[in-house]
Amino acid sequence: NRFGTPRTDTWPGETSLALQCVATPMNAGSSPVLVLGAGINGCALARELALNGVSVWLVDSADIASGATAYSSRLIHGGLRYLEYGEFDLVKESLAERTRLLQLAPQFVRPLKLWIPAASRLGGLTSAIGKFFSWPWWPAPVPKTGRGVTLIRAGLALYDAYARDPHLPKHACMPVSDAGALAVNPKKYHWLCSYYDAQVAFPERLVLALLEDARQVSFHDGLDFRVFTYHQATLSGDTVEISPLAPHAGQTATCRVKPAVIVNATGAWVDETLRRLHVESVRLMGGTKGSHLFTFHPRLRERLSGQGIYAEARDGRPIFITPLAQAVLIGTTDEPFEGPPERALATDRELDYLLEAVNSILPDVSLERSDIAFHYSAVRPLAHVSATNPAAITRRHAVIRHDTASVPLFSLVGGKLTTMRSLAEITAAEVLQQLARPVTANSRARLVPGAENYPAEQAAVAEVWDSIAGRLGYKCSTIAAVWQLCGTRSEAILASSDDRALLDGTDLPCSLARWTIQHEYARTLADLVERRLMLLYHQDLTKACLDRLAVLLAEAGHLPPEQLTAAVADEIARLQARYGKRVA
């Protein structure tokens, strides 16, 4: 298996990690670039570098996409409210990347119609003027009635102009009484504006697809591409030692490498990573904590009908209410946070704040604490600034070079899901300049694996599901469930096994779980439940399902058979403690 003895069912170009470390602990011929952090930015960068013929070693102290990527609002958007702070270039960049992702990753990124309710005509104009010009002396109170329809309409007009996307409808504004308007609180709101952005339901799956593309490119071009999850990198002189963080089956090897460049893409952990590498630096990160809750409330799901709401809470903070598979996502909060990012948890106060916001917008839904199915929280990887208003902290990204390091070292600061590709392109150019190599390629027009031959219309997608189901002997519901995670790669993945059994309480086949263990670096139950099979988002996750996954991990050599019962108990406890999710 990947962390122990060699197996015989590897993809082309894939070998045992243990064998890699023993056979070539030092790659003197072509030193790799070492990317620390396997979140959306780290994996997008690995892909960009591979496209430019650079060998990459990717290291993370946890799992792939296990930081802020997994706990976001799951939106691919231009940042409508950034216009209020005059960040027009960021909005333009974000909208351009939104358009690309809709075209290049349609299996993951899809258009989402959003409604903005407004209570007044002119609310927020005074405040917006001061924010736009960054006047610290200008009064900027939160308007009691929120941002008015005039301000919203002006922002949406700019948004449409910057987007120039012929595939998405333009914005519209109407009274709440119009027949086509989403039903919101008529006692509070008088107008509704609609516009389009996009949603990535499962960014974790997008990250894995980017990583797979990097692996395929590296194999094709003979590059040295390696992924180390649950490992820690330490720097001594010009040598990095990569060591496993915990004893797992077969995972004992330590690698040493002299990297050509190190890129610190650890997000909210950037400062901690620099300290561990003994690199002096001013404080770079000052992220805020954002919490979200999820509910399967039937009336709320029916009310949304596949659309979303972008409104304001009582303090002026933006609140999103968006459909997500069979659930509804509600977020987010924005609070200063100090301490280890991995300890960020949603508090009762934050959950009450979100519930209050929803019930103010949709009072007849009457959402209660008992309706919360689960929740999550994370620290945004934002730059450290002196802004007193967390919402005012810029979402811009930057590539910081550390001249005091013994190896050429860059840190990535800021950024968001939407701009991960453009940030990767910018960072790759910096790295290539350091390597004295030209930029020879980029991913601006490159499909993400699973988007090949993707049908243009949803009706055509359904026809493909029916066709695959007929050829492989699965129900169409199973093909649809796998398609949501893998796109057009679904048939090839399912055809690799004759096992047609399903995981208890789901439409997902055991063969998919087995495949992702073998080919997507899954090593623990948390990896499978939370970031590969996305079972966290299933309404009725069962212990029987976890038991079966534990057996599959044991069969792959990642879990000792005598630890199956304890591993399942630990994951049940983790789901309850971190997410408030109960297992049936």
Side-chain angles (χ1 to χ4, degrees):
N1 60 66
R2 192 168 51 88
F3 291 99
T5 56
R7 65 174 199 261
T8 59
D9 58 345
T10 54
W11 269 160
E14 184 182 21
T15 58
S16 160
L17 177 59
L19 287 182
Q20 289 179 356
C21 295
V22 172
T24 56
M26 301 289 287
N27 187 351
S30 177
S31 296
V33 169
L34 184 65
V35 177
L36 305 180
I40 191 90
N41 289 327
C43 292
L45 174 59
R47 179 192 190 215
E48 206 74 27
L49 289 171
L51 288 171
N52 281 276
V54 177
S55 294
V56 175
W57 288 20
L58 184 67
V59 180
D60 200 296
S61 60
D63 185 31
I64 295 161
S66 60
T69 302
Y71 306 118
S72 67
S73 296
R74 299 174 180 263
L75 292 172
I76 299 296
H77 64 112
L80 180 59
R81 69 186 180 89
Y82 306 157
L83 293 172
E84 211 169 317
Y85 294 93
E87 295 191 303
F88 299 121
D89 55 343
L90 177 58
V91 174
K92 289 179 180 178
E93 177 187 4
S94 300
L95 287 171
E97 292 303 311
R98 184 195 70 180
T99 298
R100 281 197 180 97
L101 284 169
L102 284 167
Q103 296 170 349
L104 303 178
Q107 72 277 39
F108 301 123
V109 182
R110 296 170 186 171
L112 177 66
K113 185 176 184 178
L114 290 159
W115 293 87
I116 306 177
S120 67
R121 285 188 181 276
L122 303 177
L125 280 176
T126 301
S127 169
I129 292 172
K131 291 177 184 175
F132 182 82
F133 291 105
S134 301
W135 291 338
W137 45 268
W138 187 266
V142 176
K144 293 182 180 180
T145 57
R147 292 163 178 81
V149 67
T150 300
L151 183 61
I152 294 170
R153 183 176 288 167
L156 290 175
L158 278 173
Y159 210 61
D160 286 343
Y162 286 151
R164 297 179 181 178
D165 190 337
H167 303 290
L168 295 181
K170 303 295 184 183
H171 79 278
C173 294
M174 64 196 71
V176 295
S177 57
D178 271 22
L182 188 76
V184 295
N185 186 354
K187 295 181 179 179
K188 181 176 181 179
Y189 302 109
H190 303 293
W191 292 273
L192 273 168
C193 295
S194 67
Y195 75 105
Y196 278 80
D197 255 324
Q199 182 184 54
V200 53
F202 300 129
E204 301 89 340
R205 296 298 313 176
L206 173 59
V207 172
L208 289 163
L210 296 176
L211 202 56
E212 171 61 11
D213 200 23
R215 188 201 63 76
Q216 290 181 10
V217 170
S218 297
F219 170 66
H220 180 271
D221 294 345
L223 304 174
D224 185 5
F225 180 74
R226 313 188 192 188
V227 176
F228 303 82
T229 57
Y230 298 100
H231 278 68
Q232 180 171 284
T234 55
L235 178 63
S236 178
D238 62 353
T239 301
V240 174
E241 183 174 280
I242 303 171
S243 307
L245 282 171
H248 287 273
Q251 185 186 350
T252 57
T254 293
C255 293
R256 293 177 180 83
V257 64
K258 292 183 177 180
V261 176
I262 300 174
V263 180
N264 177 7
T266 54
W269 290 266
V270 157
D271 290 322
E272 178 187 334
T273 299
L274 292 173
R275 285 192 293 271
R276 192 174 69 247
L277 296 176
H278 306 294
V279 175
E280 294 183 3
S281 173
V282 298
R283 180 177 178 179
L284 296 177
M285 308 304 296
T288 60
K289 184 177 75 161
S291 296
H292 301 75
L293 67 83
F294 294 79
T295 180
F296 294 96
H297 195 286
R299 187 182 302 171
L300 179 55
R301 289 166 54 193
E302 181 182 354
R303 175 66 61 82
L304 293 178
S305 299
Q307 304 167 91
I309 297 174
Y310 176 22
E312 293 178 72
R314 64 178 184 275
D315 58 355
R317 270 285 307 155
I319 295 292
F320 287 98
I321 308 171
T322 57
L324 187 76
Q326 298 304 309
V328 175
L329 178 156
I330 300 165
T332 176
T333 59
D334 201 353
E335 298 188 350
F337 184 84
E338 298 291 338
E342 64 271 16
R343 295 184 183 176
L345 296 173
T347 63
D348 289 341
R349 185 171 63 84
E350 288 177 293
L351 297 177
D352 289 339
Y353 168 89
L354 295 174
L355 289 174
E356 178 189 345
V358 174
N359 288 330
S360 174
I361 300 163
L362 304 166
D364 60 325
V365 169
S366 300
L367 210 60
E368 300 177 356
R369 285 294 290 270
S370 60
D371 294 314
I372 299 176
F374 62 98
H375 49 74
Y376 60 51
S377 186
V379 178
R380 300 176 180 89
L382 304 180
H384 175 63
V385 296
S386 58
T388 57
N389 176 14
I393 300 175
T394 183
R395 268 53 175 177
R396 296 175 188 271
H397 45 243
V399 182
I400 308 298
R401 183 187 175 109
H402 302 279
D403 292 325
T404 59
S406 55
V407 175
L409 173 63
F410 299 90
S411 288
L412 306 190
V413 176
K416 56 197 185 85
L417 282 177
T418 309
T419 55
M420 57 85 185
R421 195 215 60 82
S422 56
L423 175 56
E425 184 178 329
I426 292 168
T427 308
E430 293 274 1
V431 171
L432 289 165
Q433 183 178 32
Q434 174 63 42
L435 298 176
R437 295 175 56 172
V439 175
T440 57
N442 62 59
S443 58
R444 293 178 195 174
R446 185 176 180 84
L447 292 173
V448 173
E452 302 86 354
N453 302 313
Y454 200 90
E457 304 295 335
Q458 186 57 39
V461 172
E463 291 178 1
V464 173
W465 295 346
D466 286 335
S467 179
I468 296 174
R471 286 194 293 272
L472 298 185
Y474 282 107
K475 291 183 178 180
C476 192
S477 58
T478 290
I479 304 303
V482 175
W483 186 279
Q484 187 178 33
L485 304 180
C486 305
T488 56
R489 301 168 67 207
S490 300
E491 182 170 9
I493 291 170
L494 293 177
S496 64
S497 171
D498 295 329
D499 185 359
R500 296 295 184 268
L502 301 182
L503 293 168
D504 184 76
T506 80
D507 287 316
L508 294 174
C510 294
S511 59
L512 175 64
R514 187 177 289 108
W515 183 89
T516 196
I517 291 170
Q518 294 171 345
H519 304 297
E520 292 188 330
Y521 314 98
R523 204 188 71 210
T524 70
L525 274 176
D527 297 348
L528 289 171
V529 171
E530 301 168 30
R531 292 173 293 275
R532 300 300 189 285
L533 305 177
M534 311 315 298
L535 295 169
L536 174 65
Y537 300 86
H538 284 229
Q539 187 167 0
D540 298 310
L541 177 60
T542 67
K543 180 178 178 297
C545 179
L546 299 183
D547 288 337
R548 181 60 178 144
L549 292 176
V551 169
L552 294 177
L553 283 168
E555 289 176 357
H558 298 318
L559 188 61
E562 65 273 14
Q563 293 182 13
L564 294 183
T565 301
V568 171
D570 287 347
E571 179 60 11
I572 291 174
R574 170 182 162 83
L575 290 170
Q576 176 63 48
R578 183 157 188 82
Y579 304 99
K581 184 177 180 67
R582 295 181 179 179
V583 174

